[in-house]
């Protein structure tokens, strides 16, 4: 964890003058709140208040280690900040598209080419209006939005009432390994769709934008 925070701070230091404190707070609130809001809406059950507090404490600590100031004082305050920021600050910018397009393309690269237009349509249907406008995404037909959300609600119902409990937890990071490879993380998604260093696993200190990889904790030994 210390290595991950050190690496993250080293990367952010290159852009320190370009990222405002309120932008840092917004992204922190996204990480702390969005997964929980998603689970509360589409999951098999709503999360307990203790789980929400745990998420808040975890991300508040990371924010403090990053030097972020004026972090909201609770999970509810983070959620309020998140919605208020999106209502007031989320507008179209060319740079939004330049940043988001590679992220979308990377995620679409894992599905068959013939289905990519459909998945991009569904991705647009998942976004709220402000986000679609900010990212210059086309508005999908109303029936697509309704159908997608209905499927997600149905998935939560099936998971709650029709599927048996999971017998083993999903473990992204192996708990064992030989001494030479014990610090290498092997991703949980299918290796055939991952870029080379992720197929082989990676070390936390190696991650970052391509232009900063020469500054990583292990030199240029990515593989």
């Amino acid at each position: 964890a210390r290595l991950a925070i050190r690496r993250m701070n080293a990367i952010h230091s290159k852009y320190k003058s370009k990222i405002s404190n309120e932008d840092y707070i917004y992204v922190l609130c996204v990480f702390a709140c969005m997964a929980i809001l998603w689970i509360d809406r589409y999951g098999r059950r709503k999360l307990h208040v203790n789980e929400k507090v745990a998420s808040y404490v975890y991300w508040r600590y990371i924010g403090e280690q990053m030097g972020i100031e004026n972090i909201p004082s609770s999970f509810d305050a983070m959620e309020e900040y998140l919605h208020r920021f999106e209502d007031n600050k989320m507008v179209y910018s060319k740079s939004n598209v330049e940043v988001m397009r590679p992220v979308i393309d990377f995620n679409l690269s894992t599905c068959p080419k013939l289905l990519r237009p459909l998945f991009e349509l569904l991705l647009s249907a998942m976004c709220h209006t402000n986000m679609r406008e900010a990212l210059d995404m086309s508005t999908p037909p109303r029936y697509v939005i309704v159908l997608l959300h209905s499927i997600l609600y149905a998935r939560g119902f099936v998971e709650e009432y029709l599927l048996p409990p999971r017998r083993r937890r999903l473990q992204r990071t192996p708990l064992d390994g030989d001494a030479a490879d014990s610090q290498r993380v092997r991703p949980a998604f299918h290796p055939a769709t991952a870029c080379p260093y992720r197929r082989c696993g990676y070390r936390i200190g190696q991650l970052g934008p391509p232009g900063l990889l020469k500054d990583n904790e292990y030199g240029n030994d990515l593989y």
Side-chain angles (χ1 to χ4, degrees), residues 29-160:
C29 292
V30 168
F31 282 111
C33 298
M34 286 306 296
I36 289 178
L37 297 178
W38 174 280
I39 293 171
D40 278 354
R41 187 173 185 181
Y42 302 116
R44 55 179 290 268
R45 65 171 177 85
K46 294 184 181 296
L47 294 185
H48 190 275
V49 63
N50 290 350
E51 293 171 302
K52 296 181 179 182
V53 171
S55 177
Y56 167 75
V57 171
Y58 174 82
W59 286 105
R60 183 189 64 188
Y61 175 78
I62 290 179
E64 291 170 348
Q65 297 304 302
M66 294 175 64
I68 299 176
E69 301 175 349
N70 303 318
I71 297 173
S73 59
S74 66
F75 180 88
D76 290 340
M78 275 192 165
E79 183 181 350
E80 181 183 350
Y81 185 100
L82 175 73
H83 295 312
R84 184 172 67 250
F85 187 98
E86 291 181 346
D87 290 340
N88 297 331
K89 302 286 188 178
M90 188 172 282
V91 295
Y92 169 77
S93 172
K94 183 180 178 181
S95 61
N96 294 345
V97 181
E98 292 173 347
V99 170
M100 196 61 186
R101 189 68 246 177
V103 176
I104 295 174
D105 290 342
F106 173 77
N107 284 279
L108 292 178
S109 69
T110 62
C111 67
K113 289 184 178 181
L114 290 177
L115 295 179
R116 289 178 189 176
L118 173 61
F119 277 89
E120 188 154 4
L121 179 67
L122 296 177
L123 178 62
S124 178
M126 282 304 308
C127 297
H128 55 72
T129 302
N130 281 8
M131 183 171 290
R132 281 197 294 266
E133 292 176 353
L135 298 176
D136 195 28
M137 301 174 75
S138 59
T139 301
R142 176 66 181 170
Y143 72 86
V144 173
I145 298 175
V146 172
L147 178 61
L148 176 61
H149 286 269
S150 298
I151 291 172
L152 291 171
Y153 285 123
R155 174 191 173 276
F157 178 87
V158 170
E159 188 177 34
E160 170 68 9

Side-chain angles (χ1 to χ4, degrees), residues 140-191:
R142 176 66 181 170
Y143 72 86
V144 173
I145 298 175
V146 172
L147 178 61
L148 176 61
H149 286 269
S150 298
I151 291 172
L152 291 171
Y153 285 123
R155 174 191 173 276
F157 178 87
V158 170
E159 188 177 34
E160 170 68 9
Y161 296 106
L162 302 180
L163 294 183
R166 182 180 289 135
R167 294 181 179 274
R168 293 183 298 176
R169 66 177 180 177
L170 295 177
Q171 183 67 42
R172 178 177 294 274
T173 306
L175 296 177
D176 54 8
D178 57 52
D181 209 37
S182 61
Q183 298 299 317
R184 193 174 290 271
V185 178
R186 300 187 183 279
F189 51 84
H190 197 283

